[in-house]
Structures are given as structure tokens and as C-alpha cells.
Amino acid sequence: MVKHTATSVVTIERFIIEEERNHPEATGELSGILYDLGLAAKMIANKVRSAGLADILGATENENVQGEVQQRLDVLSNDIIVKAMDHGGRLCAMASEEEPGIIQIPDQFRCGKYCLMFDPLDGSSNIDVNVPVGTIFSVVRKITRGRHGELEDMLQPGRRQVAAGYVIYGSSTMMVYTTGQGVHGFTLDPSIGEFLLSHPNIRIPENGRYLSVNDSYEQLWSDGVRTVMRKYKGLDGDHKALSTRYVGSLVADFHRNLLGGGIFAYPANQKNPRGKLRLLYEANPLAFIVEQAGGAACDGTQRVLDVQPTELHQRTPLYIGSKNEVELAQRVLSQPAELVGA
Ligand code: AHG
Ligand code: MN
Ligand code: MN
């Protein structure tokens, strides 16, 4: 296996081809999906970077299936991904945070054996104030017969993913992905329009430094969740105090914790009993990545990647990041309520 370091100039295309060589049975279809996603990322980055100049900031008049007001860039990013991915002949269907149902492959294009699920723009409430946003994607193999993808193909547990990744449109544009052979980060060099290998074999520190949580929901949390947060803040003396860092863009918070060590938590609360974040195209892809980097992800009672999905846009509580902090949450939240805090 070729050993890459961040000093050699390795484009994402070259890296994907060399990774593919480790799989003699590979047909190149998954590689093609990753290339095309890299192209879509460059196109979205271009729009995000100039959003303040072109008239594409702000909200549309419509709400998406989540009941959230769609930002113009949400819709634009969604359309860029659908158009970049629908004709390559590798996908049999797609699903997006921004569309209620499955996105079928138009009849004039060939269908392939993979399904793509994605959050085209994550953290979109931050667009107008120039805070980093991202794109998150998940790829699973088709399991139903017939040409077109079906809901059943999408509703597979996260452990069945064959690839997952995200793009962060931050101080630089980075694409981070895994195909189950470790986690690798590529930084876009705008002068040549190429993603170059900058973070080979990313590993997340076992112990966290940062805590990413929106404390304003504290009154709505269960006693168990409050106990977990007290421990993360060092108030119980049995865990060091973590520094709080909360951007409000899952991709940005996740990326900082992946590189520096930390825990991102979006617990269930009385207003959102299943939390806010979506399982198929936010929690699952990031859980695949974090486990490949040596971290963990749970929903408070079980491993995220073992959750059996039942709906396309179902939400899940999420504790994701450094192994030790995720295990702490799972330990406390799996206790019977009367023992919590004992
Ligand atoms: P999206 O913009 O795709 O709807 O995702 C927003 C999510 C996530 O990015 C972030 O961590 C979370 O919403 C923030 O929620 P709160 O504002 O409730 O903290
Ligand atoms: Mn999101
Ligand atoms: Mn989104």
C-alpha cells in the first residue's frame, strides 16, 4: 500500500485511484462517486465564498420537509449536488435533507448500485454571518432488486455505509472522507482548483479537550443528560473540565473535535425528544468517520451505527467524538433514571 505523507503533492483523484488498487474487486464506481462529490464541493465552495457579493444570501419563502426555512444557499447547494451526481451511472437514487422524498435518477441516465444521502449545506443559519458551514454525505450499496433505488435501500443501519465524508467551507475548504480504510483530509488549493492531501490518516485523541453543546436547552434536558454535562465541565471532580466551543455548525464543531479531541453533544430534550440532528445524513456519516479515526458515536443508549432507521428524515440524539467522553455519556445515560447522579 502506498504510504502518503502530507508533503508529497497528492490530489484526491490520485489518492482515490491508489486506494482503489487495495480492492481488486473494485469496479471504480465508488471512486467515481467520490470524484463527482469533489467537483460538487468545489462548485458549492465557489458559491459560499462569494455569497456576500452575489445575491444568494438570506432565506427563501419556503420551508423544507424539516419545517425549517430554506436558505437560498441550501437550495443552490442541493441542486448542485443533484445535478453533479444524477448522470454518472453509479447511483440508483439519492436523498437530501432539503427534499421530502427519494430523488430518483432520470430515465435518460443509467442507474448504478449505490445510494447517496446528503445534507447539502449544514449550519446554514450561519451563512449570513460568515461562520463556517459544510456538506455531509453518506454512501450505501443498493440492497433491493430492480433498477431504481427505493426507501428500503436508504433505511440501512449506518454500519452498512461504504463511504462517508464532509466538506467544511471554513478558512480553507477541506474534504474529509473514509471508505473504511482510515480517515483522510484534503485541502482545496484554489489556485489550481484541486483538493490536495493535507491530513493523511486522521486520528482523534482518546481524551477530549473541547465540549460542543448548546446549553440553552439545559432546562429541557433529563437529569441524566445534566449529570453528563456536569461531568464534562469538571463539576463532579471525576473528569477534567473541557473547554466549551460551540459554533452552531455541526461540521465545524465536529471537525475541530476530530483534529483536537472533544465531544459534540446534541441531546434529546423535552422539545425534541429525538434530538434535532438527522440520522441518515448527519449522524451516520460522521459516526462512520469518527469510528474510523478511533473515536465513538452513540445516541445515549446505543452505537449510532447500529440504529435501525425507520424514516428518511428521522432525528437522533447524538454524542460524538473522543472515545472516553462518548463512553462516559453512554455509561451515565444507560443507567436507570433513579441511579443517575448516584
Ligand atoms: P442544518 O443547517 O443542516 O439544518 O444543520 C444545523 C444543525 C447543526 O449544523 C448544528 O449543530 C445544529 O443545527 C445547531 O442547532 P441549535 O441552533 O439548536 O444549537
Ligand atoms: Mn445539518
Ligand atoms: Mn442542512
Side-chain angles (χ1 to χ4, degrees):
M1 188 165 132
V2 177
K3 187 96 183 88
H4 289 302
T5 62
T7 48
S8 52
V9 176
V10 177
T11 63
I12 192 167
E13 284 78 6
R14 175 179 158 192
F15 190 87
I16 290 169
I17 289 169
E18 281 163 3
E19 288 264 293
E20 191 186 298
R21 283 199 197 125
N22 300 331
H23 287 270
E25 77 288 356
T27 60
E29 285 192 65
L30 186 55
S31 299
I33 291 170
L34 292 168
Y35 295 152
D36 291 347
L37 285 167
L39 173 65
K42 292 178 206 172
M43 294 161 75
I44 295 171
N46 191 26
K47 294 295 177 199
V48 167
R49 299 252 170 265
S50 57
L53 306 173
D55 180 23
I56 45 177
L57 284 182
T60 63
E61 286 72 49
N62 12 309
E63 276 193 358
N64 61 13
V65 64
Q66 325 282 342
E68 294 157 349
V69 172
Q70 280 183 315
Q71 301 294 321
R72 287 201 193 121
L73 260 178
D74 278 326
V75 176
L76 203 55
S77 307
N78 184 69
D79 295 350
I80 285 172
I81 295 175
V82 171
K83 292 209 173 34
M85 305 306 295
D86 67 358
H87 55 278
R90 294 130 185 166
L91 299 177
C92 60
M94 293 182 251
S96 165
E97 176 189 282
E98 300 305 330
E99 305 219 11
I102 288 181
I103 305 161
Q104 287 301 353
I105 301 301
D107 288 338
Q108 69 267 34
F109 299 135
R110 200 163 45 82
C111 281
K113 63 183 182 190
Y114 294 104
C115 292
L116 173 71
M117 295 168 278
F118 57 93
D119 175 358
L121 208 66
D122 171 70
S124 44
S125 58
N126 285 317
I127 293 167
D128 295 3
V129 292
N130 207 6
V131 166
V133 292
T135 296
I136 311 172
F137 64 87
S138 167
V139 183
V140 293
R141 203 170 271 109
K142 181 178 182 6
I143 53 174
T144 58
R145 303 171 63 77
R147 180 165 176 267
H148 287 284
E150 299 170 25
L151 185 59
E152 190 187 343
D153 293 310
M154 310 284 184
L155 300 183
Q156 299 182 59
R159 63 176 179 271
R160 304 287 298 272
Q161 293 173 96
V162 293
Y166 61 87
V167 184
I168 176 166
Y169 311 101
S171 44
S172 64
T173 298
M174 270 191 74
M175 182 161 168
V176 177
Y177 80 82
T178 184
T179 57
Q181 303 172 79
V183 177
H184 311 287
F186 300 80
T187 299
L188 181 63
D189 178 340
S191 66
I192 55 173
E194 287 289 354
F195 278 107
L196 304 180
L197 180 68
S198 54
H199 297 67
N201 298 306
I202 296 174
R203 302 295 292 170
I204 184 169
E206 286 239 328
N207 295 301
R209 273 181 63 196
Y210 304 114
L211 166 60
S212 304
V213 69
N214 184 339
D215 275 320
S216 68
Y217 301 119
E218 177 157 15
Q219 297 312 313
L220 303 174
W221 289 339
S222 68
D223 290 343
V225 173
R226 284 198 201 99
T227 299
V228 171
M229 296 306 154
R230 283 179 53 81
K231 290 179 180 298
Y232 286 156
K233 294 175 180 176
L235 300 174
D236 277 8
D238 57 0
H239 189 283
K240 72 176 169 45
L242 301 177
S243 292
T244 298
R245 293 278 190 286
Y246 193 73
V247 174
S249 282
L250 168 61
V251 170
D253 283 316
F254 176 83
H255 184 70
R256 181 202 48 251
N257 294 347
L258 179 71
L259 297 186
I263 178 87
F264 173 96
Y266 205 109
N269 64 55
Q270 286 160 19
K271 197 174 79 167
N272 288 321
R274 294 182 80 174
K276 173 182 183 181
L277 299 173
R278 278 63 50 140
L279 176 63
L280 292 185
Y281 41 79
E282 289 176 314
N284 270 346
L286 298 184
F288 185 18
I289 289 170
V290 83
E291 287 198 3
Q292 281 287 311
C298 76
D299 65 1
T301 55
Q302 65 175 315
R303 181 183 178 229
V304 164
L305 294 184
D306 288 337
V307 174
Q308 175 55 55
T310 51
E311 297 150 36
L312 202 53
H313 300 289
Q314 78 182 61
R315 298 172 191 263
T316 176
L318 181 62
Y319 301 81
I320 187 168
S322 293
K323 206 183 187 77
N324 289 352
E325 278 69 31
V326 173
E327 286 173 355
L328 185 160
Q330 179 124 352
R331 221 176 19 253
V332 172
L333 298 175
S334 306
Q335 283 175 351
E338 60 277 10
L339 295 182
V340 169

